[in-house]
Amino acid sequence: MKINPHFLRSHPLLSLLPTFTLRGLVSDSALQEYPKGSMVFKEGDPCEAIYLVISGRCESTRASNGDVADEVFGPGDTLGERELLNQEPYRSTVTVVTHSVLLRISGKVLLELFSAKPSLAGRFSQTITSKLKTEREARSRTHRVVSLLTLSSHVNERALAQRLASSLAKIAVGNLLLVHLVPVEQKISLKKWAEISSTVNGEFCFAQELHESRDGYQELSLYVSNDPSEAAHIPSLLGHFAKHFNYVILHLVSEVAVASSIECMIQSDLAYVFLQPDAESLYNFRLLIKQVDAQSNGHCNHIKPVVCAEQSGPATELGLHLRHLGHPVHSFVRGYPIAGSSGFIDRGGNYALHINSLAREIARCRIGLALSSGGAKGLAHIGVIQVLEENGIEIDAVAGSSMGAYVGSVWAYGHDGETCEKIARELEHRWGLMHVVDPVIPPRLGFLRTQRVIRRLRRSIGYAHFSELHRPLRVVATYLDTLERVVFSTGDVASAVQASIAIPGICVPVTIDGGVFIDGGIADPLPVDVLSEMGIERIIAVNTIPTPERLRHCRDAERELNEQQSRPPFSLRSFLNKHLNYFARGNVLDTMLRSIHGVQTRVAENAGRDADIVLRPWECDARWHDFTNPGKYIALGRKVAEDQLPQIKALAKQNEIAPAEMAVAS
């Protein structure tokens, strides 16, 4: 590959260099191609050169930042100029995210020039300083290229792509471009792009062809022929798009040449493949993954299968096949627009929820809800859920342990907060607890069975599998043999919840597929880390397990109240409760539960430190078995959520796009 020296003259830094130096830079040895995923230089390495991005995209990360990308570089950007000028090691690690062409400029050559002409070094330094001030903010914004491919002819793929772009435009900071790669000839084409003689700091080449949607994003149709050689120009095209837009969505029409579609998916940061739970979609997906895998040397973990399913009905068999392929179902879109329709009709109440969740994933602002264990105190989770719903705060994933798993499963199934409260209030009478208590005689494995509890759960969610839930759910249990945490995300939901609520010593352990499980609160009482492992960026944790300090405060207040009151008269009821009720304070079951909570306290508090917001619905007179007073705990959850509602809204705030950022850079 060769480049004209006049091409480099347009760059503010390189325009300072003498003509003979520029001629030396354009030699073939100075231009290098870097495939996606390769490293340009590493943090701490000696700075031996600076690099000019001719085409493609690169990202820089720093160890102090947790190796999270802090800057994005595109055509015209330079790498390593500050380090070279200060004669220090590289400050960050730069990797290639889209196949790139870089011009390597030897540091030795530049330093020799600066020694010979000190004034040149001064001008070079001033140019770098002013350039960094104007460009760092733009480079540090989020840049993501996302591909969408539909493998089913029953889905209105264009309407789906436009709906996703619309949702993303509402929540993302920055400008957005939706590109339709179509097989029908247009005024602009991929072949035309290959013929464009672009400049380093040039204008957006397709500005006149843009169409601005009413939802605040730019739209462009690009013709792709059946010529497989056109695929070679995809990386430079994506680098050009990403230079001028913070988010680029590539809508790959199924009729487009396979080579170009595959190259788009390989060079994207994220690729969603929409398929239906049928044999044809599965076959096409297998073929696609095989081709992508062969061309990308196995780098295809960013390809996410999204199942377009009806409002109800499992996709269990498809899920098993996809898991076997190494690409488990990423998410579901229910109520999707069907082919031939306008695409504006929402065929179910979950389509918007699922599309918004994908948009938040692209914008890296998904919200997860971690629900702790805690027995009846966990009914406070319902109050929190109600406040979130009333304020329009959408949750993208739920992780629950023990009682948190129970409440989370009912909500994830599709019941709203009000219905969850109605279900909880079914036990709101004197003998309500007797409807779930199932004694074991003799109590060899535990005092209670959990069958009655799960029968009540099945009345709410039936035999639903995780793949049928309206929200992604993770249920935490503890594997009895090793006391390791187990996270259920597939199979029968009620069975997983049954394992998660089996309090050791009190409830009989639960056997699933030959494994014996007990309460999830033993291994992970507040599963914040489960959401983090899912990639959820923002986490709200609800912790109903009180700290020793809180318990001490309650105990002191209770003792002070008793000292102020006269000794209560003898009561046969209290006497029998104390001596016959195993759940009474100080008796065996209560002591066992309080001991378990003592172990859980530190674990839950440590887990809460990794959450963005922690809600603590604690009450001094709370009892773990007090299921006959659900209203008290639900109201407690509501109060805590309402008290911290400003922080929750700030966490979930939808960022408005500044009008100036909507204009295409020129």
Side-chain angles (χ1 to χ4, degrees), residues 2 71 79 169 194 231 305 390 482 535:
K2 292 187 177 182
E71 287 189 84
L79 315 170
E390 291 164 5
T482 61

Side-chain angles (χ1 to χ4, degrees), residues 586-599:
N587 286 353
V588 58
L589 298 185
D590 180 69
T591 300
M592 289 174 64
L593 251 297
R594 291 167 68 86
S595 301
I596 291 172
H597 287 170
V599 177

Side-chain angles (χ1 to χ4, degrees), residues 120-134:
L120 179 62
R123 296 205 310 272
F124 200 83
S125 176
Q126 291 175 356
T127 304
I128 289 176
T129 302
S130 61
K131 188 170 180 289
L132 288 175
K133 286 181 180 179
T134 56

Side-chain angles (χ1 to χ4, degrees), residues 287-563:
L287 185 61
L288 174 69
I289 291 298
K290 185 176 180 180
Q291 292 172 309
V292 172
D293 188 69
Q295 289 187 219
S296 65
N297 295 320
H299 299 295
C300 55
N301 291 333
H302 64 294
I303 297 179
K304 311 293 183 183
V306 179
V307 178
C308 295
E310 295 300 330
Q311 286 302 309
S312 60
T316 308
E317 187 175 349
L318 176 66
L320 292 174
H321 286 296
L322 291 176
R323 184 175 292 274
H324 180 71
L325 280 176
H327 290 268
V329 175
H330 179 66
S331 59
F332 289 83
V333 172
R334 300 185 186 275
Y336 57 89
I338 58 176
S341 68
S342 65
F344 296 106
I345 300 175
D346 193 338
R347 299 193 300 125
N350 300 298
Y351 177 55
L353 175 69
H354 296 160
I355 290 294
N356 290 344
S357 183
L358 290 178
R360 285 191 291 271
E361 180 178 22
I362 296 171
R364 296 186 177 99
C365 60
R366 288 176 297 172
I367 301 177
L369 186 64
L371 305 178
S372 76
S373 57
K377 294 177 289 183
L379 294 173
H381 299 322
I382 298 175
V384 172
I385 288 170
Q386 290 176 343
V387 173
L388 295 177
E389 288 182 337
E390 291 164 5
N391 289 274
I393 297 169
E394 294 183 347
I395 299 298
D396 298 290
V398 185
S401 185
S402 197
M403 191 60 191
Y406 191 107
V407 174
S409 67
V410 176
W411 190 48
Y413 179 76
H415 296 298
D416 59 15
E418 184 178 348
T419 304
C420 290
E421 180 173 357
K422 289 179 180 178
I423 294 171
R425 287 185 178 274
E426 291 176 357
L427 302 179
E428 193 177 22
H429 54 87
R430 184 174 181 181
W431 305 107
L433 193 59
M434 293 299 102
H435 290 291
V436 293
V437 170
D438 189 7
V440 179
I441 301 174
R444 185 173 61 86
L445 300 177
F447 288 91
L448 303 172
R449 298 186 187 90
T450 51
Q451 271 79 1
R452 285 189 179 181
V453 177
I454 297 308
R455 278 202 296 269
R456 294 191 65 83
L457 177 61
R458 290 201 187 278
R459 284 170 51 187
S460 303
I461 69 172
Y463 287 84
H465 282 228
F466 282 86
S467 61
E468 298 175 69
L469 300 178
H470 293 177
R471 289 181 178 85
L473 172 70
R474 299 293 184 268
V475 172
V476 176
T478 303
Y479 186 50
L480 182 58
D481 287 351
T482 61
L483 297 182
E484 292 176 295
R485 184 192 72 178
V486 176
V487 180
F488 288 96
S489 60
T490 60
D492 179 54
V493 177
S495 297
V497 173
Q498 185 176 11
S500 185
I501 65 172
I503 306 169
I506 295 178
C507 298
V508 176
V510 175
T511 301
I512 300 177
D513 295 333
V516 181
F517 300 92
I518 57 174
D519 196 301
I522 301 301
D524 195 352
L526 184 62
V528 171
D529 52 348
V530 174
L531 294 172
S532 298
E533 291 164 8
M534 294 174 66
I536 301 299
E537 295 83 8
R538 304 174 184 181
I539 299 175
I540 301 171
V542 186
N543 183 10
T544 65
I545 304 171
T547 61
E549 293 76 17
R550 178 68 177 175
L551 293 173
R552 188 182 306 114
H553 169 76
C554 293
R555 187 62 175 164
D556 291 343
E558 183 180 354
R559 186 180 293 112
E560 183 179 344
L561 181 64
N562 290 337
E563 290 175 354

Side-chain angles (χ1 to χ4, degrees), residues 168-362:
L168 181 58
K170 293 175 183 176
I171 65 175
V173 175
N175 49 10
L176 167 64
L177 174 65
L178 172 60
V179 183
H180 303 281
L181 275 71
V182 296
V184 181
E185 193 155 355
Q186 305 280 326
K187 287 200 292 185
I188 56 174
S189 66
L190 195 54
K191 186 176 181 181
K192 180 181 178 182
W193 163 255
E195 298 169 354
I196 292 176
S197 178
S198 57
T199 58
V200 174
N201 289 319
E203 298 179 354
F204 185 68
C205 293
F206 307 117
Q208 294 182 349
E209 310 298 334
L210 289 180
H211 166 68
E212 185 167 352
S213 77
R214 60 184 179 183
D215 293 319
Y217 63 87
Q218 304 286 342
E219 207 164 0
L220 175 71
S221 292
L222 185 66
Y223 168 60
V224 182
S225 72
N226 289 322
D227 185 357
S229 65
E230 288 187 356
H233 306 295
I234 292 290
S236 62
L237 178 70
L238 300 190
H240 182 66
F241 287 155
K243 174 71 176 177
H244 298 279
F245 290 88
N246 298 94
Y247 296 92
V248 179
I249 296 179
L250 303 173
H251 166 215
L252 310 177
V253 177
S254 53
E255 292 84 3
V256 161
V258 173
S260 297
S261 294
I262 289 178
E263 188 64 25
C264 284
M265 299 185 74
I266 291 174
Q267 301 302 332
S268 296
D269 303 307
L270 197 58
Y272 295 122
V273 180
F274 297 91
L275 60 160
Q276 286 193 295
D278 56 37
E280 182 182 2
S281 291
L282 178 60
Y283 173 80
N284 290 333
F285 185 75
R286 284 179 185 272
L287 185 61
L288 174 69
I289 291 298
K290 185 176 180 180
Q291 292 172 309
V292 172
D293 188 69
Q295 289 187 219
S296 65
N297 295 320
H299 299 295
C300 55
N301 291 333
H302 64 294
I303 297 179
K304 311 293 183 183
V306 179
V307 178
C308 295
E310 295 300 330
Q311 286 302 309
S312 60
T316 308
E317 187 175 349
L318 176 66
L320 292 174
H321 286 296
L322 291 176
R323 184 175 292 274
H324 180 71
L325 280 176
H327 290 268
V329 175
H330 179 66
S331 59
F332 289 83
V333 172
R334 300 185 186 275
Y336 57 89
I338 58 176
S341 68
S342 65
F344 296 106
I345 300 175
D346 193 338
R347 299 193 300 125
N350 300 298
Y351 177 55
L353 175 69
H354 296 160
I355 290 294
N356 290 344
S357 183
L358 290 178
R360 285 191 291 271
E361 180 178 22
I362 296 171

